[in-house]
């Protein structure tokens, strides 16, 4: 099975990738990342290695080189098929060659082919890319070095590509990682945090605008490395002008200066306090097998599906009365709670919560395209804008098809996306939000899903910003061409990056300005930024390359849209990619070692370098679904070189991990190749074939589906309280509520002031308890509290001040009436 991706040989021969070292240069909102991969061929014969690995979505790969001995070979960027042909010709003739190409299905997956390494030979592969840093809720800038590349689920009938060639191992990857970071910014650096252990931050100047930090030694590269950079005055808009290349073709993007503008529109407080009470909220929940994995590997980790259920509880309790809502679960199939979205009231909320409590990660693969098509086919409700909340592992093989669908319906909805767990596709998660004019969130490590979901709900409830325009004011003789896609959405405190090409010259003022205008609640708003047209020094063309990558992305969309100009668009894309030196779906980096005069002789051994993923213990069969053993519900692929009879035996004898909660009879078709003819075998039929010899129950016992009994989780008092709230926002006086407070129902009743009824008293106590004991989770219950305060105000109760005092005494709190908002 030497062709099986991601598997070592039966002889346990060593994998050629030995180490990865990464250098990160953060400048403001942009990071330049150089990764060096150290290979060594410890075989006795020539080696060809394949390494499939993730990069951030929309990263601009701008350099690829290989160092063999004392010779460094710098790759050229060429049209992809030309590069592939040159690679094949070089390898077949015994030359050393290297090929780096982007997946055609997902822009965050790359394949590196290392060809013809002689026995005992070393090769150091260097890859440099530039990426924007995303802004987090606490204003940090997030950099992520993906370590886990989860295999992407490819729906039946789809063509398999790079994302299907995913490596899979059960333990930690057999290579080491070192990482160093240098941060520079015109604004002082407040701090730098990470989900991994770092050495102390070292400031290089007294103004704290330059700093370095290293990843602590001994790090196991078994999860994404996340860095969070905090600057002072993060929300101030900034502009960077970068000089062009004098040797570039006149009039081209690379020859002219390019400006990058970061904008932070701020909305008036009186506007932000008036959240909308209308909308259609559609929650789309991944229920594939991988949602049965843990959120993280630390103490107290939840299963992903359980965290999603708690998040749905909070979201459902936070919706405004009279809006519309629905919930979809999806996997290899999909289902909705209601035939179409229903009005939010007590009855529909209760029905939905009952269904949520019964949700399981039992729907097979991850096919998100069909449920989205169904949702978009439903008519919208007038005056209730549609808001999609998509929660997923983000592991699909048809990412671009999904994003095209979302873009085509962007005028009728907004999409808020959530990537759950390590290895979620950044291309899918960020793409859903970008094309759906929403906001993307990633839940990794010990992150809680609930606060991030509630932050996105706040965005969804903000007043809609429309009629957005960007206007440039520059001296005579100068023009500005905007390269970025139009700004379709603006949220309070969220950054927008705009790239533009500056053409011409002027002897007048060296200052320009950009003005963003929009309507907020039917009122015109203008934000303006002045900037110097003089180019900054030492930017390393990072702005040009990010601008080029942004423009290439727009051309890709035009190409997929079809039409008579497809070939012209593709030609423009290839030309721009080669001129700017950044990757595209139609180009690839090719490097051939012409220093080595001796050709490599003998047949090549093929190796697939593992990344963290799924591997069925006791079997040489890779399961391409997810980095979780319970994902064996998904597709398995058997490569060339195995006859059909052997494949059948292997499948029937699979021994799964003890955490497996499903039967192999749930597997979709298994693709095999025999005698050059591709065939499909349903695993279910394989078991039925043996039904005369043994019952299905005895077959299933061969799959170790038992798991150790988990201890009964303790009930969270906060979630208990939220679950008891009515759709209107009030609570009722009962023993369950008293239990949350650690009291008896009689104690609550005896202390109730005479002038208020039981529901008002219960709701007031619930508010006091939240503010008194759960302030650290306020972002999660903010809308629950707002509904409760609004309901209390609607009751026109007298003597509330005394009620608040009595409630504080009963619960041992010190919360003021002003704090409660009543």
């Amino acid at each position: 099975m030497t062709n099986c991706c991601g598997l070592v040989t039966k002889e346990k021969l060593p994998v050629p990738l030995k180490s990865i070292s990464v250098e990160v240069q953060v400048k403001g909102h942009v990071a330049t990342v150089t990764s060096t991969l150290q290979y060594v061929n410890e075989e006795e014969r020539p080696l060809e290695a394949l390494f499939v690995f993730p990069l951030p979505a929309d990263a601009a790969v701008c350099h690829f080189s290989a160092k063999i001995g004392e010779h460094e070979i710098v790759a050229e960027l060429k049209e992809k098929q030309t590069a592939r042909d040159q690679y094949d010709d070089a390898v077949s003739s015994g030359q050393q060659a290297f090929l780096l190409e982007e997946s055609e299905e997902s822009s965050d997956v790359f394949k590196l082919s290392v060809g013809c390494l002689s026995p005992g030979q070393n090769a150091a592969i260097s890859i440099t890319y530039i990426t924007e840093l995303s802004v987090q809720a606490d204003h940090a800038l997030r950099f992520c070095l993906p370590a886990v590349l989860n295999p992407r689920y490819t729906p039946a009938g789809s063509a398999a590509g790079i994302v299907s060639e995913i490596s899979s191992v059960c333990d930690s990857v057999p290579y080491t990682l070192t990482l160093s970071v240098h941060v520079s910014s015109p604004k002082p650096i407040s701090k730098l945090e990470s989900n991994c252990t770092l050495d102390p931050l070292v400031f290089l100047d007294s103004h704290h605008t330059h700093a370095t930090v290293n990843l602590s030694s001994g790090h196991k590269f078994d999860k994404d490395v996340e860095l969070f950079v905090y600057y002072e005055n993060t929300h101030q808009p900034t502009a960077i002008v970068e000089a062009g290349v004098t040797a570039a073709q006149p009039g081209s993007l690379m020859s002219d200066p390019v400006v990058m503008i970061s904008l932070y529109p701020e909305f008036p407080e009186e506007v932000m306090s008036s959240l909308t009470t209308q909308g259609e909220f559609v929650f789309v929940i991944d229920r594939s097998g991988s949602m049965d994995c843990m959120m993280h590997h630390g103490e107290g980790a939840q299963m992903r599906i359980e965290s999603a259920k708690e998040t749905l509880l909070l979201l459902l309790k936070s919706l405004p009365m009279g809006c519309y809502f629905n919930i979809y679960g999806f996997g290899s199939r999909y289902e909705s709670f209601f035939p179409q979205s229903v009005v939010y009231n007590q009855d529909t909320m209760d029905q939905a919560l009952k269904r949520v409590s019964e949700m399981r990660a039992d729907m097979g693969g991850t096919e998100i395209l069909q449920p989205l098509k169904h949702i978009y086919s439903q008519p919208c409700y007038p005056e209730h804008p549609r808001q999609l909340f998509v929660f997923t592992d983000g592991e699909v093989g048809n990412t671009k098809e999904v994003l095209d669908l979302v873009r085509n319906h962007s005028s009728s909805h907004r999409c808020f996306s959530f990537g759950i767990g390590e290895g979620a596709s950044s291309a899918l998660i960020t793409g859903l939000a970008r094309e759906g004019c929403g906001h993307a969130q990633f839940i990794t490590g010990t992150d809680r899903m609930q606060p991030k979901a509630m932050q996105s709900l706040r965005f969804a409830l903000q007043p809609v910003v429309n009629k957005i325009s960007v206007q440039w004011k520059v001296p005579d003789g100068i023009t500005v061409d905007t390269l970025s896609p139009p700004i379709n959405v603006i949220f309070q405190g969220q950054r927008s990056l705009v790239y533009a090409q500056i053409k011409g010259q002027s002897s007048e003022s060296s200052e320009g300005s950009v003005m963003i205008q929009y309507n907020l609640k039917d009122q015109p708003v203008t934000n303006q930024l002045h900037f110097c047209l003089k180019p900054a020094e030492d930017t390393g063309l990072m702005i040009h390359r990010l601008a080029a990558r942004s423009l290439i992305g727009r051309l890709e969309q035009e190409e997929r849209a079809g039409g008579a100009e497809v070939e012209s668009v593709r030609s423009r894309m290839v030309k721009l990619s080669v001129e700017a030196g950044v990757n595209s779906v139609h180009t690839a980096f090719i490097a051939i070692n012409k220093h080595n005069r001796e050709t490599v002789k003998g047949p090549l051994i093929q190796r697939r370098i593992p990344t963290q993923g799924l591997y069925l213990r006791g079997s040489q069969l890779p399961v391409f679904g997810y980095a979780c053993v319970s994902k064996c519900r998904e597709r398995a692929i058997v490569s060339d070189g195995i006859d059909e009879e052997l494949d059948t035996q292997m499948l029937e004898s699979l021994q799964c991990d003890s955490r497996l909660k499903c039967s192999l009879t749930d597997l979709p078709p298994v693709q095999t190749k025999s005698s050059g003819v591709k065939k499909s075998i349903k695993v279910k039929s394989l078991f039925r074939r043996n039904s005369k010899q043994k019952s299905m129950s005895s077959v299933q016992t061969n799959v170790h589906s038992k798991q150790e009994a988990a201890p009964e989780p303790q009930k969270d008092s906060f979630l208990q309280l939220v679950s008891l709230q009515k759709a209107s926002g009030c609570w009722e006086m009962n023993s369950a509520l008293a239990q949350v407070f650690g009291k008896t129902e009689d104690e609550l009743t005896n202390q109730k002031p005479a002038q208020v009824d039981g529901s008002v008293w219960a709701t007031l106590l619930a508010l006091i308890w939240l503010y008194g004991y759960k302030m650290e989770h306020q972002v999660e219950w903010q809308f629950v509290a707002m509904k409760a305060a609004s309901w209390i105000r609607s009751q026109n109760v007298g003597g509330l001040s005394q009620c608040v005092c009595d409630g504080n005494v009963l619960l041992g709190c010190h919360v003021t009436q002003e704090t409660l908002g009543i």
Side-chain angles (χ1 to χ4, degrees), residues 349-422:
M349 185 190 75
D350 287 342
Q351 292 181 52
L353 287 174
K354 184 177 185 300
R355 293 284 299 273
V356 167
S357 68
E358 298 167 351
M359 282 174 51
R360 300 291 182 269
D362 56 1
M363 298 185 74
T366 309
E367 295 194 35
I368 194 172
L369 188 65
Q370 295 308 315
L372 288 178
K373 285 183 176 179
H374 177 78
I375 292 168
Y376 294 143
S377 70
Q378 301 291 311
C380 295
Y381 293 94
E383 306 302 322
H384 287 273
R386 179 171 288 167
Q387 317 265 16
L388 262 64
F389 287 70
V390 180
F391 297 82
T392 178
D393 291 84
E395 300 153 354
V396 299
N398 56 346
T399 299
K400 293 184 179 180
E401 189 177 359
V402 172
L403 299 187
D404 286 342
L405 176 69
V406 174
R407 183 187 314 110
N408 292 338
H409 292 85
S410 60
S411 61
S412 62
H413 83 296
R414 291 196 294 189
C415 183
F416 299 86
S417 55
F418 303 84
I420 304 170
E422 308 290 352

Side-chain angles (χ1 to χ4, degrees), residues 339-525:
Q340 61 186 42
S341 295
V342 295
V343 174
Y344 177 78
N345 54 38
Q346 187 64 45
D347 181 53
T348 55
M349 185 190 75
D350 287 342
Q351 292 181 52
L353 287 174
K354 184 177 185 300
R355 293 284 299 273
V356 167
S357 68
E358 298 167 351
M359 282 174 51
R360 300 291 182 269
D362 56 1
M363 298 185 74
T366 309
E367 295 194 35
I368 194 172
L369 188 65
Q370 295 308 315
L372 288 178
K373 285 183 176 179
H374 177 78
I375 292 168
Y376 294 143
S377 70
Q378 301 291 311
C380 295
Y381 293 94
E383 306 302 322
H384 287 273
R386 179 171 288 167
Q387 317 265 16
L388 262 64
F389 287 70
V390 180
F391 297 82
T392 178
D393 291 84
E395 300 153 354
V396 299
N398 56 346
T399 299
K400 293 184 179 180
E401 189 177 359
V402 172
L403 299 187
D404 286 342
L405 176 69
V406 174
R407 183 187 314 110
N408 292 338
H409 292 85
S410 60
S411 61
S412 62
H413 83 296
R414 291 196 294 189
C415 183
F416 299 86
S417 55
F418 303 84
I420 304 170
E422 308 290 352
S425 167
S426 59
L428 177 68
I429 303 306
T430 60
L432 284 171
R434 180 183 63 245
E435 305 302 343
C437 302
H439 182 68
Q441 301 269 22
F442 287 89
I443 301 104
T444 58
T446 57
D447 288 349
R448 284 173 53 81
M449 190 184 303
Q450 293 83 351
K452 297 197 173 187
M454 302 313 293
Q455 183 201 23
S456 290
L457 179 61
R458 173 169 282 278
F459 288 154
L461 293 173
Q462 283 182 11
V464 175
V465 175
N466 55 22
K467 298 182 179 179
I468 305 170
S469 66
V470 176
Q471 298 179 4
W472 302 87
K473 184 177 181 180
V474 291
D476 292 339
I478 294 179
T479 59
V480 178
D481 288 348
T482 303
L483 304 172
S484 304
I487 299 176
N488 295 318
V489 61
I490 296 176
F491 295 117
Q492 164 70 12
Q494 291 299 293
R495 178 200 64 191
S496 296
L497 287 182
V498 180
Y499 299 97
Q501 182 177 357
I502 301 174
K503 299 180 178 181
Q505 292 182 342
S506 175
S507 58
E508 300 179 18
S509 171
S510 61
E511 186 179 83
S513 67
V514 60
M515 184 167 57
I516 180 170
Q517 295 178 309
Y518 50 89
N519 276 14
L520 179 63
K521 296 195 73 172
D522 299 324
Q523 296 297 316
V525 180

Side-chain angles (χ1 to χ4, degrees), residues 12 78 122 332 339 442 462-463 535 572 617 625 765 805:
K12 306 295 183 183
K78 297 186 177 182
N122 291 274
S332 300
F442 287 89
Q462 283 182 11
R572 286 176 58 200
R617 279 210 297 255
L765 291 177
C805 291

Side-chain angles (χ1 to χ4, degrees), residues 47-50 81-93 95-101 112-116 589-592 604:
L47 174 76
E48 181 181 15
L50 174 66
Q81 192 55 53
T82 300
R84 285 175 173 176
D85 291 343
Q86 290 184 2
Y87 175 82
D88 291 341
D89 290 345
V91 172
S92 62
S93 64
Q95 288 183 288
Q96 294 170 334
F98 307 87
L99 182 71
L100 178 68
E101 53 185 317
L112 172 61
S113 300
V114 180
C116 283
F589 287 92
I590 173 71
I592 300 174
L604 293 179

